[in-house]
Amino acid sequence: MTPSIPEMTPETPPAPPPETPLLSVRDVSVRFGGIVALDGISFDVHRGQICGVIGPNGAGKTTLFNCLSRLYTPHQGSIRFDGEALLSLPQHAIAAAGIGRTFQNVALFPAMTVAENVMVGRHCRTHTGYWANAFRLKSVGREEAEVQHRTHTLLSLLQLTELADTPVRELSFGTRKRVEMARALVAEPKLLLLDEPAAGLNHEEVDSLRLLIQDVRDRFQVTVLLVEHHLNLVMRVSDQVVAMNFGRKIADGPPAMVQADPEVVRAYLGTEETQ
């Protein structure tokens, strides 16, 4: 009699380990005297995402950006970037660590040209020192050529080539915003922080900005964290939206879900009082 062979149930392959977020913010709080600007904020941003941060004025959005770029040190909580503790880094090391930023109120050198302002942003990626430059070693020439190439590539992408030799002080506010984005991108960041990039733009320019942000994400494989009051832009461009109010996170998820969240609606529209 031939012994029967029991059927083998195929083993379920183990689930792949969850992807480590590029940015992980945990229980971050910031106080200015008796004012709580951030109140236990926690959220993750994964690689390749465009994440929008929304909220009324005073919600704490720019304070959050200032913590991520190390202009502020939180009173509590932790921030991990690319697997490392961000709060252990000094301010001057943030760009080299892979974080680029634009500002709500543009922070450029007004007397310098557009090209010069962009090239300044590459400083954290240059390595030749004083003596190499003094003796004009070959490494200096190679490095300068790389800076020039990356600068002109970004000027072309952001439609700034014709303004390359124009002093920044002569530009409109919207154009300065593009120069600032180019300066942030020239350092090859892993995470790009855009602080109200649509400020001062008309509807047509806002739609062009949406396409530009998506193109930048795809072309440079950069993750984008976007603070913006223009809700239509945020909802159309973002993969994830974090909503804040009075320093707290009130919603976090896909744009459609956050837009329909009752607490988000109340934060923007208030509540009707019945008579």
Side-chain angles (χ1 to χ4, degrees), residues 12 69 74 99 143 149 169 179 190 193-194 220 226 262 275:
T12 303
S69 50
I99 296 178
E143 205 165 65
H149 171 71
R169 62 170 172 253
V179 176
K190 300 172 187 175
L193 308 178
L194 298 178
F220 298 105
L226 165 73
Q275 300 294 327

Side-chain angles (χ1 to χ4, degrees), residues 17-22 46-47:
E19 179 192 355
T20 302
L22 177 66
H46 290 274
R47 298 173 196 275

Side-chain angles (χ1 to χ4, degrees), residues 15-159:
E19 179 192 355
T20 302
L22 177 66
L23 177 69
S24 184
V25 177
R26 287 291 174 273
D27 196 30
V28 167
S29 296
V30 174
R31 297 183 299 276
F32 299 107
I35 298 174
V36 180
L38 292 179
D39 188 6
I41 288 286
S42 297
F43 67 94
D44 292 332
V45 180
H46 290 274
R47 298 173 196 275
Q49 279 192 323
I50 298 174
C51 177
V53 180
I54 63 171
N57 287 330
K61 304 181 298 297
T62 296
T63 300
L64 172 64
F65 263 31
N66 286 341
C67 290
L68 298 177
S69 50
R70 294 293 287 114
L71 297 178
Y72 295 163
T73 298
H75 291 86
Q76 72 176 49
S78 66
I79 302 173
R80 296 190 70 81
F81 173 68
D82 202 18
E84 303 294 332
L86 185 70
L87 298 180
S88 65
L89 296 178
Q91 292 179 6
H92 67 266
I94 293 300
I99 296 178
R101 180 184 177 176
T102 67
F103 291 82
Q104 182 177 349
N105 297 311
V106 177
L108 296 169
F109 299 100
M112 293 169 58
T113 67
V114 168
E116 289 168 342
N117 268 278
V118 175
M119 286 190 284
V120 164
R122 187 69 186 174
H123 177 71
C124 66
R125 299 291 178 215
T126 58
H127 304 290
T128 54
Y130 173 82
W131 291 111
N133 280 272
F135 290 102
R136 299 300 301 171
L137 300 182
K138 289 183 179 180
S139 58
V140 174
R142 288 194 297 269
E143 205 165 65
E144 288 180 350
E146 177 68 10
V147 171
Q148 292 278 354
H149 171 71
R150 291 190 176 276
T151 296
H152 290 298
T153 296
L154 286 164
L155 293 182
S156 176
L157 174 65
L158 278 82
Q159 300 179 1

Side-chain angles (χ1 to χ4, degrees), residues 262-273:
E263 195 166 355
V264 174
V265 174
R266 282 195 296 271
Y268 276 94
L269 301 180
T271 55
E272 292 187 9
E273 294 185 8

Side-chain angles (χ1 to χ4, degrees), residues 80-259:
R80 296 190 70 81
F81 173 68
D82 202 18
E84 303 294 332
L86 185 70
L87 298 180
S88 65
L89 296 178
Q91 292 179 6
H92 67 266
I94 293 300
I99 296 178
R101 180 184 177 176
T102 67
F103 291 82
Q104 182 177 349
N105 297 311
V106 177
L108 296 169
F109 299 100
M112 293 169 58
T113 67
V114 168
E116 289 168 342
N117 268 278
V118 175
M119 286 190 284
V120 164
R122 187 69 186 174
H123 177 71
C124 66
R125 299 291 178 215
T126 58
H127 304 290
T128 54
Y130 173 82
W131 291 111
N133 280 272
F135 290 102
R136 299 300 301 171
L137 300 182
K138 289 183 179 180
S139 58
V140 174
R142 288 194 297 269
E143 205 165 65
E144 288 180 350
E146 177 68 10
V147 171
Q148 292 278 354
H149 171 71
R150 291 190 176 276
T151 296
H152 290 298
T153 296
L154 286 164
L155 293 182
S156 176
L157 174 65
L158 278 82
Q159 300 179 1
L160 293 166
T161 301
E162 294 182 359
L163 299 171
D165 298 322
T166 303
V168 161
R169 62 170 172 253
E170 298 178 12
L171 304 178
S172 68
F173 185 73
T175 304
R176 293 184 195 189
K177 285 278 190 180
R178 281 187 282 138
V179 176
E180 216 180 23
M181 186 186 296
R183 185 182 64 182
L185 286 169
V186 79
E188 299 180 81
K190 300 172 187 175
L191 177 65
L192 178 62
L193 308 178
L194 298 178
D195 196 348
E196 297 195 22
L201 303 185
N202 60 38
H203 290 296
E204 184 177 335
E205 291 170 330
V206 167
D207 199 52
S208 297
L209 174 64
R210 174 181 64 84
L211 297 175
L212 175 62
I213 293 172
Q214 292 171 328
D215 187 29
V216 162
R217 186 267 306 272
D218 297 338
R219 186 186 298 257
F220 298 105
Q221 300 296 296
V222 64
T223 303
V224 179
L225 189 61
L226 165 73
V227 161
E228 184 53 65
H229 283 290
H230 200 293
L231 287 184
N232 186 48
L233 169 64
V234 175
M235 295 303 171
R236 294 180 67 193
V237 79
S238 302
D239 304 300
Q240 170 192 358
V241 175
V242 175
M244 298 173 58
N245 196 24
F246 294 113
R248 297 184 302 106
K249 184 181 77 173
I250 58 175
D252 181 1
M257 184 187 81
V258 171
Q259 193 169 19

